[in-house]
Amino acid sequence: MTPKFLREEAARFRGMAEEQTREASKLRLLGMADDYEARATAIDGMVVETPPEEPETEVAEAVETTGTLSLGAKSGARGVRKPVTRTRLRIGT
């Protein structure tokens, strides 16, 4: 969520609060508006750093590994070994 969206929602809740006749409803809506405004302010205070770009010379390659998995008593198959295949990503030049 962007600060702009959060502030628009806060304004929307304040508008709904103005239309309410019950004081409890007004207070609830104003509290929600304050919460949205606080979240927008918190996001404004964050510093977002972009991660460094990976060098273009590296090539990603999928590598499959095969192993066995021993299922425990919780699965109801005590001692049964099942083959397992995993795919890892290997980055190299």
Side-chain angles (χ1 to χ4, degrees), residues 30-47:
L30 290 173
M32 292 169 68
D34 289 342
D35 182 52
Y36 275 98
E37 189 66 39
R39 290 168 61 188
T41 303
I43 290 175
D44 282 338
M46 290 182 174
V47 176

Side-chain angles (χ1 to χ4, degrees), residues 6-79:
L6 293 169
R7 286 195 173 90
E8 288 172 355
E9 286 297 297
R12 186 171 71 90
F13 280 113
R14 286 188 187 99
M16 289 177 6
E18 290 175 6
E19 297 172 0
Q20 295 297 316
T21 56
R22 295 179 54 201
E23 190 64 27
S25 296
K26 284 183 183 181
L27 292 176
R28 182 177 53 84
L29 289 168
L30 290 173
M32 292 169 68
D34 289 342
D35 182 52
Y36 275 98
E37 189 66 39
R39 290 168 61 188
T41 303
I43 290 175
D44 282 338
M46 290 182 174
V47 176
V48 178
E49 294 182 21
T50 57
E53 291 185 23
E54 295 292 324
E56 292 183 23
T57 58
E58 294 186 15
V59 177
E61 167 187 342
V63 178
E64 287 192 14
T65 59
T66 304
T68 57
L69 173 66
S70 179
L71 300 175
K74 288 184 180 178
S75 66
R78 175 174 260 155

